[in-house]
Each structure stands twice: as C-alpha cells, then as structure tokens.
Amino acid sequence: MNAMKGSRPARIFAVAAMVSASALIISGCSSTPAEEPSEAPDKPAAIDLTLKLGSLLPVTGQLAFLGAPMEAGVQLAVSQVNEADAGVTIELSQADEGDLDNKAYETSITKLQSEGITAMVGAASSSVSKLILDGNVGAGIVTVSPSNTSADFTGIDPMYFRTAPSDNLQGEVLGNQIAEDGNTTLGIIYQNDPYGTGLAEAIGATFEAAGGEVVAEASYNQGDGQYNAQVQTVAAAKPDAVAIVSYEQFKTIAPLLGNAGVDTGKLYMVDGNLSNYAKDNLPIQLEGSKGTRAGAELPEDFLDQLNEAWTAEGNDPINDVTYSAEAYDATILIALAALKAQSVEGSDIAAAMREVSGGEGEGEKCSTFADCAAIINDGGTADYDGLSGEITFDENNDPKGAAIGVYEYGADNNNSRIK
C-alpha cells in the first residue's frame, strides 16, 4: 500500500530562513545580505497520511444478512483509495457488531478503540450505534453509519454522520406506496426499538394522511422467539395489507401470517428485511409484495465489483447489495475528509466531512476517490457524489435529498426495483 511522499509547506521553510538570516545580521555575525526568500507555492505540499479505519458491521445476529454487502462495500472503497496513491493510505480493522442479543459489539468496540482507530464505518443497527456512540466520541473517533435510519440520530453529535436517510423519508415513501396500491386498511407488525417504532410511526402516519386506516398494530422485542400473538392480533383485523418492520424475523413472521389467512402477496417490507428470499426456501409466495430501501440505482456491474473485493478475502460470493453503496460512500467520504484536513485525527476529519460532500457551497463535482483527491490536491474544493446518491450532508450531518427505491417481488421470491 503506497502513499504519496511529501514535505512540510515550503513557505514555512522560507519564513524560517528569513528569521535566521535576520538574527545573524542583527547580532553582527554576518555582513552578507540575506538571500531573498523564494516565492511560496499556491498550496501546501501534501503530507503522508495513514488512516486507521475500523468497521463495526454484523457478521452474526439478526442483521448478519446485511453485514456481508456492507463489509464488501467498505473493502471495495479501501482498495480504491489505496490504489489511487493520492496521499491517504487506509489500514482497515474489521469487527463483528452482532446484535442486542449476543452483544458482540461490546468486545468488538473495545478491540477497535484499543487499535487506535480514528474513524469508523458502522454500526449497522440504530440500537447498537446508540450504545457505542458516546464511547467513540470520547475516544475522538468520527463515526459514519451506512444504515442507521432512526430519526433520533438527526443532529445527535458533531462526530456522527450517516449516509442513509432518516426513517421519516422511507416511511413516507412506503406509506404512500401502500395507499397508491389501492389498500384502504393496514396492519403493522414492528420491533420495539428506535428503528422499529420510528419507522412504523412514519408509515402509519403517511398512510392515514393519504386516506387509509391503520386497523391493527403489534410489536415484539428483539430476542423474542414467538410471534403468534402479534400475528393473530393483526390477522383478526383483516387488513388489506400488512407492513412488517423487522430484521431477519421476517422469515418467521411472514409464514405465520400466511397460515393465519393473510395474503402474502400484499406484504410491505422495509430496508431491514428487504432481501432476496429464493435462497431461504420460504413456504409462502411473496409475488406482488413490495418494499423500500434507501439508495440510487446502482451500476449493473456493482455487484461484480463488490464480489471481486469480497472474495479476494476468501469469502463466499454475495448476491445482495443492500446498504453496500452507503458503506462504500461512507469510506470514500472519510478518506476525502482526511485528505482535505491533511489529518487523520477524528475531529479534523469530522470538520471536513460536510465540505467534501458539497454541504458547504459550490465545489467541483466528482464521483470517484481518485478524481476528488486530484481536485483537493490541486487546491480545489471537491463535491463527492456517490453511488448511493449525492450525499450532501446538511447541518445535522444527515444526507439531503436521499433517494428511496421501491422494489417488488416476483414468483421466485426475489425482488427487483420498480422505481
């Protein structure tokens, strides 16, 4: 992993030479006139930056199916940053987030902090991020989550950013989609945590504002193994459609809904459970069901790029891209902010994040690390537009105008984007 070699700004040396020569003349130790200082360059020379980056993403637990795509996104970005040889080299340390049940994050965050990371991509879960954020802030670690969507994170701390939009936006899109599909009544099953409650409220409020009625709601706690009571509560109300705000629990809840007489072609999913289920051999048909997920349409070869980086580390291929672009963009933005700040300290990186995202006024648009780094190294202002969208951070460190895609399931229980 090569990095650009540099020196201290030439103007510093010029000023030092002038001070030294003046001191000699004043002391009478020299009668030779001081040499004229050389003209200072327009910008300081780049310095060698080695960034210790950590990733805290789920290898185990309820979100493990999302962990591999996100980690692959981080690895792809790290490889491109290091190959660019533009002044920043990333040393990546990876750790398992787990979930609230196995609490893998407790050991993992201690490991990452002890390794001296100054920036972190993660956590994936809003609940886990809430538990580790104060410790990261105290340790001077800038934290960028690719998938925290709880509205609670808006403006939570100057050292926290996210490349995924608030649940308020996703809930609005999904609630309107449910209404547009002709449904007049809705049941909602959701997990009782910041992610689940916030998203369920946004979906329900939007659906009712569009003229619909939420006829039943039921929640469960992470760690619960039985969902029969929640399913019976919702099924008894005979809603036209059911929204499920969950993680991997969907694979248990959806078949129970089918057994209770609910049309499994009228289920509505969110980013936490919008997966391709053909591989899981679900005993139900999801054809016609829909869901939402943040992010712009991705290049056709993006999955191939992810797998090239992912399998190079000895991993089995992945077939999902959920939040991989957001994790990729989080990594690129951290590296660009370090380059702009000419520092790998977490607070310095945080101070430059809005600028490199285009959040502080007009900059020069660019869409790769190499192109953006060239602009910065030439003394300009880069405005990175990523794979997940424009990702312009606002004053609350949330992305402005994020894209939300709508997906529909086919007969094979896999989904494809419809808008």
Side-chain angles (χ1 to χ4, degrees), residues 323-355:
Y323 285 123
S324 54
E326 286 77 6
Y328 173 92
D329 288 338
T331 307
I332 296 293
L333 283 162
I334 289 169
L336 289 172
L339 185 63
K340 179 63 182 180
Q342 289 289 280
S343 170
V344 292
E345 294 299 318
S347 58
D348 294 335
I349 294 172
M353 287 284 282
R354 284 189 66 200
E355 179 178 323

Short mmCIF file of all heavy atoms in Angstrom, two decimals, residues 323-355:
data_model
loop_
_atom_site.label_atom_id
_atom_site.label_comp_id
_atom_site.label_asym_id
_atom_site.label_seq_id
_atom_site.Cartn_x
_atom_site.Cartn_y
_atom_site.Cartn_z
N TYR A 323 -27.39 -1.65 1.30
CA TYR A 323 -26.52 -0.74 2.05
C TYR A 323 -25.04 -0.88 1.72
O TYR A 323 -24.20 -0.31 2.41
CB TYR A 323 -26.75 -0.87 3.56
CG TYR A 323 -28.05 -0.22 3.98
CD1 TYR A 323 -29.03 -0.95 4.64
CD2 TYR A 323 -28.29 1.11 3.69
CE1 TYR A 323 -30.23 -0.35 5.00
CE2 TYR A 323 -29.48 1.71 4.05
CZ TYR A 323 -30.45 0.98 4.71
OH TYR A 323 -31.63 1.58 5.06
N SER A 324 -24.71 -1.63 0.68
CA SER A 324 -23.30 -1.74 0.29
C SER A 324 -22.81 -0.41 -0.29
O SER A 324 -21.67 0.01 -0.02
CB SER A 324 -23.11 -2.85 -0.75
OG SER A 324 -23.99 -2.67 -1.84
N ALA A 325 -23.65 0.27 -1.06
CA ALA A 325 -23.25 1.56 -1.64
C ALA A 325 -23.08 2.61 -0.55
O ALA A 325 -22.17 3.45 -0.61
CB ALA A 325 -24.28 2.02 -2.67
N GLU A 326 -23.95 2.58 0.46
CA GLU A 326 -23.84 3.52 1.57
C GLU A 326 -22.55 3.29 2.36
O GLU A 326 -21.91 4.26 2.83
CB GLU A 326 -25.06 3.41 2.49
CG GLU A 326 -26.33 4.00 1.93
CD GLU A 326 -27.02 3.15 0.88
OE1 GLU A 326 -26.58 2.01 0.63
OE2 GLU A 326 -28.01 3.61 0.29
N ALA A 327 -22.17 2.02 2.53
CA ALA A 327 -20.92 1.71 3.23
C ALA A 327 -19.71 2.13 2.40
O ALA A 327 -18.72 2.66 2.92
CB ALA A 327 -20.85 0.22 3.55
N TYR A 328 -19.79 1.91 1.10
CA TYR A 328 -18.74 2.34 0.17
C TYR A 328 -18.56 3.85 0.25
O TYR A 328 -17.45 4.37 0.40
CB TYR A 328 -19.12 1.90 -1.25
CG TYR A 328 -18.23 2.42 -2.34
CD1 TYR A 328 -17.12 1.68 -2.78
CD2 TYR A 328 -18.50 3.64 -2.97
CE1 TYR A 328 -16.31 2.16 -3.81
CE2 TYR A 328 -17.70 4.11 -3.99
CZ TYR A 328 -16.61 3.37 -4.41
OH TYR A 328 -15.81 3.86 -5.41
N ASP A 329 -19.68 4.58 0.15
CA ASP A 329 -19.61 6.04 0.17
C ASP A 329 -19.11 6.57 1.51
O ASP A 329 -18.38 7.57 1.55
CB ASP A 329 -20.98 6.63 -0.14
CG ASP A 329 -21.38 6.46 -1.60
OD1 ASP A 329 -20.47 6.29 -2.44
OD2 ASP A 329 -22.59 6.50 -1.90
N ALA A 330 -19.50 5.93 2.60
CA ALA A 330 -19.02 6.37 3.92
C ALA A 330 -17.50 6.30 3.98
O ALA A 330 -16.84 7.22 4.49
CB ALA A 330 -19.63 5.49 5.01
N THR A 331 -16.94 5.23 3.44
CA THR A 331 -15.48 5.05 3.45
C THR A 331 -14.79 6.09 2.57
O THR A 331 -13.77 6.68 2.98
CB THR A 331 -15.14 3.63 2.97
OG1 THR A 331 -15.87 2.67 3.74
CG2 THR A 331 -13.65 3.34 3.11
N ILE A 332 -15.32 6.31 1.38
CA ILE A 332 -14.73 7.30 0.47
C ILE A 332 -14.77 8.70 1.09
O ILE A 332 -13.78 9.45 1.04
CB ILE A 332 -15.47 7.31 -0.89
CG1 ILE A 332 -15.31 5.96 -1.61
CG2 ILE A 332 -14.97 8.45 -1.76
CD1 ILE A 332 -13.91 5.64 -2.06
N LEU A 333 -15.89 9.06 1.70
CA LEU A 333 -16.03 10.39 2.29
C LEU A 333 -15.06 10.59 3.46
O LEU A 333 -14.48 11.67 3.62
CB LEU A 333 -17.46 10.61 2.75
CG LEU A 333 -18.47 10.93 1.63
CD1 LEU A 333 -19.89 10.70 2.10
CD2 LEU A 333 -18.29 12.36 1.14
N ILE A 334 -14.86 9.57 4.26
CA ILE A 334 -13.90 9.65 5.37
C ILE A 334 -12.50 9.90 4.82
O ILE A 334 -11.76 10.76 5.33
CB ILE A 334 -13.94 8.37 6.22
CG1 ILE A 334 -15.25 8.29 7.02
CG2 ILE A 334 -12.75 8.30 7.17
CD1 ILE A 334 -15.49 6.95 7.68
N ALA A 335 -12.13 9.15 3.78
CA ALA A 335 -10.79 9.31 3.21
C ALA A 335 -10.61 10.70 2.58
O ALA A 335 -9.55 11.33 2.74
CB ALA A 335 -10.54 8.22 2.17
N LEU A 336 -11.63 11.19 1.89
CA LEU A 336 -11.55 12.52 1.29
C LEU A 336 -11.46 13.61 2.36
O LEU A 336 -10.71 14.59 2.21
CB LEU A 336 -12.76 12.78 0.40
CG LEU A 336 -12.82 11.99 -0.91
CD1 LEU A 336 -14.16 12.21 -1.59
CD2 LEU A 336 -11.67 12.38 -1.84
N ALA A 337 -12.20 13.44 3.45
CA ALA A 337 -12.16 14.42 4.53
C ALA A 337 -10.78 14.45 5.19
O ALA A 337 -10.27 15.51 5.54
CB ALA A 337 -13.24 14.13 5.56
N ALA A 338 -10.16 13.28 5.34
CA ALA A 338 -8.81 13.22 5.90
C ALA A 338 -7.82 13.93 4.98
O ALA A 338 -6.94 14.67 5.44
CB ALA A 338 -8.39 11.76 6.12
N LEU A 339 -7.97 13.71 3.68
CA LEU A 339 -7.09 14.36 2.71
C LEU A 339 -7.28 15.88 2.74
O LEU A 339 -6.30 16.63 2.72
CB LEU A 339 -7.36 13.82 1.31
CG LEU A 339 -6.43 14.31 0.19
CD1 LEU A 339 -4.99 13.89 0.44
CD2 LEU A 339 -6.91 13.80 -1.16
N LYS A 340 -8.53 16.32 2.80
CA LYS A 340 -8.80 17.75 2.84
C LYS A 340 -8.24 18.38 4.11
O LYS A 340 -7.63 19.46 4.09
CB LYS A 340 -10.30 18.00 2.76
CG LYS A 340 -10.69 19.48 2.82
CD LYS A 340 -10.12 20.23 1.62
CE LYS A 340 -10.46 21.71 1.68
NZ LYS A 340 -9.91 22.45 0.50
N ALA A 341 -8.42 17.68 5.24
CA ALA A 341 -7.94 18.21 6.52
C ALA A 341 -6.44 18.04 6.69
O ALA A 341 -5.86 18.67 7.58
CB ALA A 341 -8.66 17.50 7.66
N GLN A 342 -5.82 17.22 5.83
CA GLN A 342 -4.41 16.87 6.00
C GLN A 342 -4.15 16.37 7.41
O GLN A 342 -3.18 16.72 8.07
CB GLN A 342 -3.51 18.07 5.67
CG GLN A 342 -3.45 18.42 4.18
CD GLN A 342 -2.67 17.39 3.38
OE1 GLN A 342 -1.45 17.39 3.35
NE2 GLN A 342 -3.38 16.49 2.72
N SER A 343 -5.08 15.51 7.85
CA SER A 343 -5.02 14.99 9.21
C SER A 343 -5.82 13.70 9.28
O SER A 343 -6.82 13.54 8.57
CB SER A 343 -5.59 16.00 10.20
OG SER A 343 -5.75 15.43 11.49
N VAL A 344 -5.41 12.79 10.15
CA VAL A 344 -6.18 11.57 10.39
C VAL A 344 -6.81 11.60 11.78
O VAL A 344 -7.32 10.57 12.25
CB VAL A 344 -5.32 10.31 10.20
CG1 VAL A 344 -4.93 10.14 8.75
CG2 VAL A 344 -4.09 10.34 11.10
N GLU A 345 -6.81 12.74 12.44
CA GLU A 345 -7.50 12.87 13.73
C GLU A 345 -9.01 12.92 13.48
O GLU A 345 -9.48 13.59 12.55
CB GLU A 345 -7.05 14.14 14.45
CG GLU A 345 -5.59 14.13 14.88
CD GLU A 345 -5.29 12.99 15.85
OE1 GLU A 345 -6.11 12.74 16.75
OE2 GLU A 345 -4.23 12.34 15.67
N GLY A 346 -9.76 12.22 14.32
CA GLY A 346 -11.20 12.13 14.12
C GLY A 346 -11.90 13.47 14.07
O GLY A 346 -12.78 13.69 13.21
N SER A 347 -11.54 14.39 14.94
CA SER A 347 -12.20 15.70 14.97
C SER A 347 -11.90 16.50 13.70
O SER A 347 -12.76 17.23 13.19
CB SER A 347 -11.77 16.49 16.20
OG SER A 347 -10.36 16.66 16.23
N ASP A 348 -10.68 16.36 13.17
CA ASP A 348 -10.33 17.06 11.93
C ASP A 348 -11.09 16.48 10.73
O ASP A 348 -11.54 17.22 9.84
CB ASP A 348 -8.82 16.98 11.69
CG ASP A 348 -8.01 17.72 12.74
OD1 ASP A 348 -8.55 18.66 13.35
OD2 ASP A 348 -6.84 17.36 12.95
N ILE A 349 -11.22 15.17 10.72
CA ILE A 349 -11.98 14.52 9.65
C ILE A 349 -13.43 14.98 9.69
O ILE A 349 -14.02 15.34 8.67
CB ILE A 349 -11.88 12.98 9.77
CG1 ILE A 349 -10.44 12.52 9.51
CG2 ILE A 349 -12.84 12.30 8.79
CD1 ILE A 349 -10.20 11.05 9.80
N ALA A 350 -14.01 14.97 10.90
CA ALA A 350 -15.41 15.38 11.06
C ALA A 350 -15.61 16.81 10.56
O ALA A 350 -16.63 17.13 9.92
CB ALA A 350 -15.83 15.26 12.52
N ALA A 351 -14.66 17.68 10.82
CA ALA A 351 -14.78 19.10 10.43
C ALA A 351 -14.77 19.28 8.92
O ALA A 351 -15.25 20.31 8.42
CB ALA A 351 -13.65 19.91 11.07
N ALA A 352 -14.23 18.31 8.18
CA ALA A 352 -14.14 18.43 6.72
C ALA A 352 -15.20 17.61 5.99
O ALA A 352 -15.30 17.71 4.76
CB ALA A 352 -12.75 18.00 6.25
N MET A 353 -15.99 16.84 6.69
CA MET A 353 -16.95 15.94 6.04
C MET A 353 -18.00 16.69 5.22
O MET A 353 -18.32 16.30 4.10
CB MET A 353 -17.63 15.05 7.08
CG MET A 353 -16.73 13.96 7.66
SD MET A 353 -16.48 12.57 6.52
CE MET A 353 -18.03 11.70 6.72
N ARG A 354 -18.56 17.75 5.78
CA ARG A 354 -19.59 18.48 5.04
C ARG A 354 -19.02 19.09 3.76
O ARG A 354 -19.66 19.08 2.71
CB ARG A 354 -20.20 19.57 5.92
CG ARG A 354 -21.17 19.06 6.97
CD ARG A 354 -21.90 20.19 7.65
NE ARG A 354 -22.76 20.89 6.72
CZ ARG A 354 -23.23 22.13 6.91
NH1 ARG A 354 -22.87 22.81 7.99
NH2 ARG A 354 -24.02 22.69 6.03
N GLU A 355 -17.80 19.64 3.83
CA GLU A 355 -17.23 20.28 2.65
C GLU A 355 -17.04 19.29 1.51
O GLU A 355 -17.42 19.57 0.37
CB GLU A 355 -15.89 20.93 2.98
CG GLU A 355 -15.26 21.58 1.75
CD GLU A 355 -13.96 22.29 2.04
OE1 GLU A 355 -13.85 22.90 3.12
OE2 GLU A 355 -13.05 22.23 1.18
#
